Amino acid sequence: MHPLLIRFFPFLSWQRFTSQTVREDVVAGITVSLVAVPQALAYAQLAGVPPYYGLYAAFIPTIIGVLFGSSAILSTGPVAMTSLLTAASIAPLAALGSEQFYAYAILLALLSGLIQIGFGLARMGVLLNFLSHPVLMGFINAAALIIAISQIPAFLGISIKQSKHLMVDTWNVLTNFDALHGMSLAFGLGAFALLYFFKKVFPKLPGVLITVGLLTWVSYLVGFAEHGGRVVGEIPKGLPSLTVPSFDWPIIRELLPAAFVVALISFVEAMSSCKVIAMKTRSRWNENQELIGQGLAKVAAAFCQSMPVSGSFSRSALNLASHARTGLSSLVSAAFVLLTLLFFTDAMYHLPKPVLAAMIMMAVANLLNFKSIQRAWRSSRDDGIAAITTFFATLAFAPNIQDGILTGIMLSLALFFYRRMRPRIIIALGLHPDGTLRDAARFDLPLLPAQIGALRFDSSLLFFNTAYFEDSVLKLMQRKPEAQYILIAASGINHLDGSGVEILNSLAKQLYDNGITMVFSGLKMQVLEVMERTGLIETIGKDNIYSTDKIALEALQARVGGVEP
């Protein structure tokens, strides 16, 4: 099949259907739908929109995402992180529960989708690598706590006026326990117990669906709604109507930063699922095509009155565990959501909101991974600082958690460039038995002769660190006033730019004027080629360039008469 045709219609590359693959896909689709329907209702609550928005998000966007994405096993729809970002992004602009809030959620889906499509068409998926793993882990851990905390009022049945600070809202809940609704707490705890029971004792059963169905029936029997409990209520029956989102340019400008964060975080979540799927199925996926597919799914959500969607890690894992082979499994899952919209919405009227809150809390518990922050700290102080700062910034900015992730990204980039501006340089070197120049103090090595100064530079020599390199050479001259040669152990230099060429040229002449010769060892071919093209090799002298540290040191010792330090 023509590659261009597959690029526009990725679903044409699905493996050929057989009776076995169709059977496995149908079973997987039904299995995922048993989780997708209750999750859709719960994540709509988390996003601050009506429950049926979640069902709409699990229908048409699911179909669009699998048809135009690169991974046939990825399950697209409402997810916890994107739902939280939706609520957090809109909270400063509109009152929760207002029609304006719902309109902005739809607009956010459209904007974040267009951003993803634009990135995919421009083949800019690689830019997502600027979001480091420690920053992402700091954000996810904080966001998981925020998600759990945000569900406390619904779990306890306490109604509070939402402010612009999540911690203030939480404090108001904790100091108003006299307003606790006993039946709500009972349903919440009951949901916790049932979900945990099915997860531990009968993990193969659709525990989420059984829990929701059973407690909805109990809610109906005991008259939970009539006793002041909050339930899902009436859900419109039938298909979502296709409408064009309303455009409000001042609001678009306000939502654009949040839309960028939603596009970024939601795709990172989808990308992590795609990587796992590709590894388990030994298949390939394309990050730019997946950006387009996820973006089109969000745009579809906007046109069918829904909220931003993303690739779901949990439902994709369930798809994989159920032996799904093609995107047919997602189509089957969407079909069951359609059946729910057409025939079963009345049965959800008495679904208690504390049950949905318990579901959300249980789901995000899997996101908590503080050991990842600990590992980041142990591997690199910079990574640890970035992760911890992102974690606390996200908590501090809540509900505007997008500011937390932006803080982490900016800090990690700042630390990255700061370290590159001041790379590792060692100016007290000794010859190691393996023939390389190493840190004399660390390896207990004898220092070099007084007439020979040596410096090891463990970085590419580029415009932003040339000043630091120059300062280090001058510092070495001060420490070794009798030096006749300055040896640069250059095996760590992978690249040399124009600024690097100029500083080496200037230093070589400055040292020569002071009776000192600059010598290089271990230069890589690509660096030598730059030196040759720019004429720097003539300034330094070809006889001052050696292939290894040992050869260079032996030659220099011979030049100075083989003296000892």
Side-chain angles (χ1 to χ4, degrees), residues 208-243:
V208 174
L209 187 67
I210 295 172
T211 298
V212 167
L214 179 60
L215 292 180
T216 300
W217 178 63
V218 173
S219 171
Y220 168 73
L221 290 179
V222 301
F224 178 66
E226 288 75 15
H227 286 85
R230 288 187 290 172
V231 296
V232 167
E234 186 175 350
I235 297 177
K237 186 175 294 186
L239 298 175
S241 58
L242 298 180
T243 57

Side-chain angles (χ1 to χ4, degrees), residues 238-476:
L239 298 175
S241 58
L242 298 180
T243 57
V244 178
S246 59
F247 289 87
D248 188 335
W249 293 111
I251 295 301
I252 288 176
R253 287 195 297 270
E254 292 283 344
L255 282 177
L256 270 177
F260 175 79
V261 173
V262 170
L264 177 67
I265 298 300
S266 66
F267 185 69
V268 168
E269 191 171 10
M271 183 171 64
S272 64
S273 297
C274 288
K275 288 180 177 180
V276 172
I277 292 168
M279 189 179 299
K280 293 286 182 67
T281 61
R282 298 184 180 182
S283 59
R284 298 179 62 184
W285 73 287
N286 184 291
E287 58 188 11
N288 294 308
Q289 184 61 49
E290 198 57 54
L291 269 169
I292 294 173
Q294 291 294 305
L296 287 173
K298 286 182 174 64
V299 171
F303 278 90
C304 66
Q305 301 181 58
S306 191
M307 59 191 196
V309 296
S310 181
S312 167
F313 189 86
S314 61
R315 294 195 299 274
S316 298
L318 183 58
N319 222 2
L320 195 62
S322 302
H323 307 292
R325 298 294 187 89
T326 72
L328 178 62
S329 60
S330 288
L331 300 182
V332 171
S333 175
F336 271 80
V337 174
L338 173 60
L339 292 175
T340 302
L341 284 167
L342 292 177
F343 303 111
F344 301 111
T345 55
D346 291 340
M348 300 178 191
Y349 182 94
H350 290 279
L351 172 56
K353 288 194 174 183
V355 173
L356 296 179
M359 282 176 51
I360 293 171
M361 291 179 178
M362 287 286 286
V364 299
N366 297 323
L367 297 177
L368 291 172
N369 183 8
F370 291 109
K371 287 186 177 180
S372 62
I373 297 178
Q374 186 181 48
R375 285 195 298 270
W377 178 266
R378 289 177 175 174
S379 64
S380 166
R381 289 292 182 264
D382 287 357
D383 284 343
I385 291 170
I388 293 170
T389 302
T390 303
F391 177 81
F392 284 108
T394 303
L395 290 177
F397 282 120
N400 300 313
I401 61 173
Q402 64 274 13
D403 294 338
I405 189 71
L406 291 175
T407 299
I409 291 172
M410 289 187 291
L411 177 62
S412 64
L413 289 176
L415 290 171
F416 172 82
F417 283 112
Y418 176 76
R419 293 305 177 194
R420 296 305 178 274
M421 289 173 65
R422 301 176 65 84
R424 186 166 180 260
I425 293 180
I426 304 172
I427 59 175
L429 296 173
L431 186 64
H432 194 272
D434 67 1
T436 61
L437 288 169
R438 298 195 180 187
D439 189 336
R442 183 174 183 180
F443 293 95
D444 194 25
L445 301 173
L447 294 173
L448 302 182
Q451 294 90 341
I452 302 174
L455 175 151
R456 196 177 81 198
F457 190 72
D458 292 338
S459 174
S460 294
L461 189 54
L462 305 172
F463 68 95
F464 48 77
N465 60 25
T466 52
Y468 186 60
F469 176 82
E470 182 181 25
D471 290 342
S472 299
V473 172
L474 297 178
K475 182 179 179 181
L476 178 60

